[in-house]
Amino acid sequence: AKAPSIGVDPAPMFGSVLGGGASLSWVLRMVRESVSMVNVHNTLTFRFAPNAPIYPGSVLTFMGILGTQSHTCVSCTGRGDLVPGLGCHDTCLKCRGRCLVVLNSTMQPHPAFVDGLGEWDSASGVLKITVAPQAILRENERVQLSVQVRNHHQQQVPMECSSLNSESDIVGGVCLSISTSSSDVCDRSSSVPSELREACADPGIPHSQISYYTPAVDDHNVNLPDSCSTCLRHADLLALDTALHREHHLTFEELEVFPPTTVGLPYLILGGAVEGSYTMRLRLTNWAGAVAEVTQPVLKQRGGYGKMGEDGRPKVYIDGLTNRVITSDMPLKLLAVGVPASCADPLITQVVISWSMECISGPCSLVPSLGEAVAPLRTDSVRLNLPEDVLPAGVALRFFARGDQDGFLPAFSEAEVNVTVAVKPPAAILSGVSSFGPISRSAGATVESHLSLDPEYGTTNMTQASFERMWTCTQQDLSRSSCPPVPLLCPEAPSLPCPPGLLSGVTSASAHLNGTYLVSGMTYTVSLSLSRAASELRDVLLPFASLYTPPGHAQVTVTAFDLDKQPTLVCVRRCNALALGRDDACEQRPPLSGRITAGESLAVYADAVDVNGKDVMGSFLWTDGSVVANHLIDSNLQTSLQSQLLVFNPSAFVPGHRSRFHVHFTPFDPNVPSGYAEIEFSTSVPPLGGSMALSPRSGISLTTTFVLEAEGWTVPVDALPLSYRFFTLDIAGSGVKSTLRTVASLTLKTTLPAGNKEDSDRLDVGVAVSDAYGASSERVTSANVQDSLGSGAAALEQLRLLLLSGVDGDLGEHLANVISVMSSLNALGGSCAQLASPASIPEECQGDVSDRRALRKLVLETL
């Protein structure tokens, strides 16, 4: 019997609907680190988004955070590295066991997770955090959190889990992954209907989980990347069958074939084939993954070899600038990208990269072979990493990356990059007096240079005895004793050479200011020029002596006073703000001078010694002597003004301002004289005066070639070179920047994605100009870019052709083209653009969805 007709009245559905049939998964999963240097504090920032809401009590697991020196978090004490910003926090008092502080974007404990803490196992590299009560990780909403750890004392290779990793890699924590072992996807709040709350209370409903087996999906529950490269609908198969039945002849032109050869290798011939028997194979795959295949023998009775031109060669590029300058204490990291000549057969699409090197100039006999420099050397690796202190200073090298593709004629492509290892001058380090401090007029003072060193010792083997020195002296009356009683304007006194006899030992390791010639209240500046003696150079360096003999310079300024005793010597040293707490964080360095970059963390340390070099115990007090602004306020500091270690926040300094700080030392022993010192530096001004030009001002998306120019930018000579990062802004107004390309030139030629249709096709395009110190400025302009795609299969096909058109060209331009293609794909409309899951895709949209999935995979393949 038939069931009676039952009518169901329409009713609104509660909560998220489109993704309701999907398995719990991630739609975004990213990780970034703030620094890759060994033995320093590192901030790991995670960004992720689930495809369904995750409710309180859910546990997230981060695996693969291996090789750290952080065992658990503790409260901040203000001493050593236990200062805010280096991983300590008062919330650590709530820790039961071993924990890490989980921070939000403002570097405060994250309110979305219980106590702002995570359960931490440093041995296995596993961090577990629990979603806090009243907190919800909402569908498609990005969650950002950070943890701070100290890097391993040896270089580590960070690696995020991907499809290339085995299950053992992921389970063993070899690569970084994020999963949820127990996720509550039930909304138990009072705002939901009582029936839903009752359903969530059912103990038979298990918690969901995201494991390393769970595939990532896009916003519509489509797996990324797609495993089906070319999927056809039944209607497509019928149309193809009908078309082939109507043809009596089938002619192939410009066909890529693999003819028989005398050695049995499948050499690729373009444009033709030799005489012989061939097999044509047609392979079809439908949307369900079913495969059908048919073969047809073909006999070619006449013809010859086709043309083997550049199109038959694999392409290889070395990422970055083609001419680079480094120093011997810097690592060299090169990345080669290979693009196959053809992807016709997946078995021969791999491009094998091999590296070689030649020395162009300089002491080439000191250059090790690649096998000696990199141990073990992987000749087939796309990356070439040479550690620091391997390449000698003064050489010019050329590195080659060769790309070979299996199954091709003996043809290959090569890319090259020139690397110059610059020679650093000797580091002149002065001691014996306090910088900008006092000296006894009657006793005089001795300025020492015995701490000076050769930063290129590994190349030159030079010691103190190998240096040539020249000391000079100037004096200046800064006491204003010559000003009128009521000065309206007192000009600064000129700087004059010191009188003869005041400075002795002008070519020795130390210079003495003779008290007989000193004047109370007069300020004296002692300068040292320190150079490598050409006669002491190694024989292998003598032909290139001009590279190694330029001098290094240093100076110190003191003021003479009538004092009974020599004042206590106060030394101010700059510290590595990323390595506070380490013994060598505040190593002996030249007095802080020159400039810093706005946004840079600064730490300085003061200590005091007597005339015999013994430490003197006492108290310190910092004051601000800057002409403009007061930097020593609580909001700018991480330590107190009475601390030996003064740590500034990155936002403390204003570009263009000159800063001067005074530190006064008062000994605990009243019989020991006090002392003081000062430091002075300026904050870099970012690139100024430039503009951002774009032409033409309007065009068609992905078709018109736009020329982006950044002209007129000026910086001091020592801040060169400049780099230019061109980008587009999200048309939705989110502020997200999509980088087109970062280059060393002023100009970039590229296509652009479509603009905002609701704002007359407006697209904002910008450039960020950075100097050698990292200071940067931005300019943004706009263009009117019309959408040329529309929607449907024709639009997707146009995107595919545009993507492939750039594969054989310049790699940087191709990457910029990929950005534009993906921006256009994400914004592509149409009736089939907003589908939820494969089960809900109607038949008329099967082809459209398949084409989108294939295009996303093609993006990955072309990269």
Side-chain angles (χ1 to χ4, degrees):
K2 293 183 178 180
S5 299
I6 299 176
V8 179
D9 294 331
M13 295 187 69
F14 184 84
S16 302
V17 177
L18 286 181
S23 299
L24 185 62
S25 182
W26 304 118
V27 295
L28 173 70
R29 184 175 50 187
M30 299 177 63
V31 61
R32 292 290 184 271
E33 63 177 351
S34 62
V35 62
S36 58
M37 296 173 57
V38 300
N39 215 22
V40 300
H41 285 278
N42 190 3
T43 300
L44 301 177
T45 300
F46 300 88
R47 288 197 302 164
F48 52 92
N51 65 343
I54 297 180
Y55 293 97
S58 300
V59 179
L60 277 64
T61 303
F62 300 81
M63 299 175 60
I65 314 176
L66 291 171
T68 72
Q69 300 184 60
S70 300
H71 301 297
T72 189
C73 70
V74 295
S75 299
C76 298
T77 63
R79 302 181 61 184
D81 58 358
L82 298 181
V83 296
L86 299 183
C88 63
H89 202 278
D90 291 342
T91 194
C92 295
L93 296 174
K94 303 176 183 178
C95 176
R96 298 177 180 84
R98 297 184 179 273
C99 306
L100 285 183
V101 183
V102 180
L103 304 168
N104 60 12
S105 58
T106 62
M107 305 309 287
Q108 296 299 318
H110 206 302
F113 303 101
V114 173
D115 294 332
L117 295 171
E119 179 185 338
W120 170 237
D121 184 348
S122 59
S124 61
V126 175
L127 175 68
K128 295 183 179 181
I129 59 177
T130 303
V131 179
Q134 310 304 321
I136 301 176
L137 308 186
R138 300 192 179 278
E139 175 184 5
N140 292 333
E141 184 175 297
R142 294 187 177 186
V143 179
Q144 177 172 317
L145 62 88
S146 302
V147 295
Q148 293 176 323
V149 296
R150 182 188 284 278
N151 285 345
H152 197 270
H153 59 81
Q154 295 180 347
Q155 189 68 42
Q156 302 291 297
V157 180
M159 180 169 59
E160 187 173 0
C161 295
S162 67
S163 59
L164 301 179
N165 290 106
S166 65
E167 178 181 344
S168 60
D169 286 344
I170 302 171
V171 176
V174 174
C175 56
L176 188 63
S177 65
I178 172 175
S179 61
T180 64
S181 57
S182 177
S183 295
D184 191 353
V185 293
C186 267
D187 189 351
R188 306 172 192 275
S189 63
S190 59
S191 61
V192 301
S194 59
E195 307 89 77
L196 287 181
R197 290 202 302 273
E198 293 174 1
C200 286
D202 185 350
I205 299 179
H207 282 197
S208 299
Q209 67 175 8
I210 306 174
S211 72
Y212 43 82
Y213 297 111
T214 308
V217 297
D218 63 11
D219 290 344
H220 307 299
N221 195 39
V222 177
N223 291 349
L224 294 176
D226 188 5
S227 59
C228 180
S229 60
T230 308
C231 296
L232 302 177
R233 300 173 301 165
H234 293 301
D236 297 325
L237 294 174
L238 178 61
L240 178 63
D241 183 68
T242 302
L244 291 178
H245 273 84
R246 292 175 179 174
E247 299 294 332
H248 298 285
H249 303 280
L250 188 60
T251 303
F252 295 97
E253 297 179 353
E254 297 297 327
L255 180 67
E256 298 180 1
V257 296
F258 298 88
T261 65
T262 56
V263 294
L265 297 178
Y267 284 169
L268 173 64
I269 303 297
L270 299 180
V274 297
E275 300 174 4
S277 298
Y278 297 88
T279 299
M280 183 180 71
R281 182 179 64 182
L282 179 62
R283 179 187 177 96
L284 301 177
T285 306
N286 69 2
W287 65 273
V291 177
E293 184 175 299
V294 63
T295 58
Q296 174 68 38
V298 178
L299 177 64
K300 183 174 182 181
Q301 297 179 338
R302 61 181 183 275
Y305 289 98
K307 179 182 178 181
M308 185 65 183
E310 289 298 321
D311 290 339
R313 299 174 183 265
K315 307 298 181 184
V316 62
Y317 310 88
I318 297 179
D319 187 37
L321 302 177
T322 56
N323 294 285
R324 311 184 189 189
V325 178
I326 64 172
T327 55
S328 58
D329 59 347
M330 296 170 56
L332 177 64
K333 298 182 178 182
L334 301 178
L335 170 64
V337 180
V339 179
S342 170
C343 296
D345 190 330
L347 297 179
I348 62 167
T349 55
Q350 181 182 10
V351 176
V352 178
I353 302 296
S354 56
W355 293 92
S356 59
M357 173 187 68
E358 69 174 5
C359 184
I360 303 173
S361 63
C364 294
S365 61
L366 299 180
V367 179
S369 66
L370 282 183
E372 296 170 329
V374 183
L377 175 65
R378 289 186 54 194
T379 57
D380 61 344
S381 174
V382 297
R383 298 181 184 273
L384 179 65
N385 296 330
L386 272 66
E388 59 272 11
D389 300 324
V390 166
L391 299 177
V395 297
L397 306 170
R398 182 171 293 135
F399 291 86
F400 300 91
R402 168 171 168 160
D404 292 274
Q405 187 170 350
D406 293 342
F408 280 71
L409 287 171
F412 58 89
S413 292
E414 271 192 342
E416 62 185 50
V417 60
N418 297 318
V419 177
T420 299
V421 186
V423 180
K424 292 186 290 186
I429 302 176
L430 305 183
S431 61
V433 295
S434 302
S435 177
F436 296 102
I439 61 173
S440 172
R441 185 201 61 76
S442 59
T446 300
V447 184
E448 304 279 355
S449 67
H450 65 275
L451 296 177
S452 301
L453 52 88
D454 189 351
E456 306 295 1
Y457 175 81
T459 301
T460 65
N461 292 342
M462 282 198 163
T463 60
Q464 288 279 334
S466 306
F467 291 144
E468 293 180 344
R469 296 171 172 82
M470 178 56 65
W471 296 89
T472 57
C473 174
T474 60
Q475 65 181 30
Q476 189 176 19
D477 183 6
L478 299 180
S479 65
R480 293 180 172 264
S481 59
S482 60
C483 291
V486 185
L488 296 177
L489 180 63
C490 184
E492 183 174 304
S495 180
L496 303 173
C498 294
L502 188 148
L503 185 69
S504 59
V506 293
T507 59
S508 62
S510 61
H512 183 71
L513 292 168
N514 298 316
T516 306
Y517 298 92
L518 295 176
V519 178
S520 180
M522 190 72 73
T523 297
Y524 300 90
T525 298
V526 180
S527 303
L528 172 64
S529 175
L530 185 72
S531 59
R532 302 179 182 95
S535 59
E536 299 293 330
L537 288 174
R538 300 168 61 183
D539 292 343
V540 70
L541 302 181
L542 287 176
F544 317 100
S546 60
L547 294 175
Y548 300 92
T549 52
H553 301 277
Q555 66 179 33
V556 63
T557 300
V558 294
T559 303
F561 294 98
D562 289 319
L563 303 174
D564 296 334
K565 300 178 180 179
Q566 280 285 16
T568 298
L569 176 62
V570 179
C571 179
V572 180
R573 293 172 284 173
R574 185 173 183 178
C575 303
N576 183 350
L578 299 177
L580 296 178
R582 276 176 31 185
D583 293 340
D584 60 347
C586 299
E587 61 184 352
Q588 182 66 48
R589 297 186 179 188
L592 178 63
S593 60
R595 62 178 170 183
I596 65 171
T597 301
E600 178 182 358
S601 296
L602 175 65
V604 291
Y605 181 80
D607 57 7
V609 297
D610 60 17
V611 292
N612 299 316
K614 294 183 178 180
D615 291 337
V616 181
M617 304 302 295
S619 61
F620 295 83
L621 178 63
W622 296 86
T623 57
D624 197 336
S626 306
V627 177
V628 180
N630 180 17
H631 302 88
L632 299 183
I633 56 178
D634 290 343
S635 60
N636 287 340
L637 299 174
Q638 297 182 20
T639 54
S640 72
L641 297 178
Q642 291 79 36
S643 172
Q644 283 184 262
L645 177 64
L646 193 64
V647 182
F648 292 88
N649 290 321
S651 59
F653 303 103
V654 179
H657 285 190
R658 190 162 187 83
S659 306
R660 188 178 183 122
F661 302 132
H662 177 105
V663 55
H664 189 275
F665 172 73
T666 303
F668 294 147
D669 186 346
N671 297 318
V672 177
S674 61
Y676 70 85
E678 293 182 354
I679 55 174
E680 188 175 33
F681 57 90
S682 60
T683 306
S684 293
V685 176
L688 298 175
S691 62
M692 166 70 183
L694 184 148
S695 63
R697 302 295 299 186
S698 61
I700 307 299
S701 67
L702 303 175
T703 302
T704 304
T705 298
F706 291 88
V707 180
L708 284 59
E709 293 182 299
E711 296 183 336
W713 294 95
T714 59
V715 293
V717 174
D718 62 344
L720 294 173
L722 297 177
S723 63
Y724 305 85
R725 180 173 69 90
F726 293 93
F727 59 85
T728 61
L729 287 171
D730 178 28
I731 62 175
S734 66
V736 174
K737 299 172 183 176
S738 297
T739 299
L740 295 171
R741 192 180 179 190
T742 300
V743 294
S745 60
L746 307 175
T747 305
L748 176 66
K749 296 181 180 180
T750 182
T751 60
L752 294 174
N756 188 352
K757 293 182 179 180
E758 298 180 358
D759 190 13
S760 303
D761 298 319
R762 176 188 172 115
L763 178 69
D764 290 329
V765 185
V767 63
V769 185
S770 302
D771 66 13
Y773 296 97
S776 64
S777 298
E778 289 188 359
R779 293 288 188 275
V780 176
T781 187
S782 62
N784 297 103
V785 186
Q786 298 180 13
D787 185 2
S788 64
L789 297 177
S791 60
L796 292 170
E797 176 64 14
Q798 184 178 348
L799 286 177
R800 189 185 72 83
L801 295 176
L802 286 168
L803 192 63
L804 292 175
S805 66
V807 168
D808 293 334
D810 179 80
L811 178 63
E813 293 182 3
H814 175 59
L815 294 176
N817 190 40
V818 168
I819 296 295
S820 297
V821 167
M822 290 308 299
S823 298
S824 299
L825 176 62
N826 294 335
L828 195 59
S831 59
C832 299
Q834 303 297 326
L835 299 174
S837 62
S840 64
I841 299 177
E843 182 177 352
E844 62 271 15
C845 288
Q846 292 282 353
D848 183 275
V849 172
S850 296
D851 289 342
R852 289 172 185 264
R853 296 162 70 184
L855 190 58
R856 289 190 181 101
K857 183 180 181 184
L858 183 60
V859 169
L860 300 178
E861 291 175 345
T862 60
L863 294 178

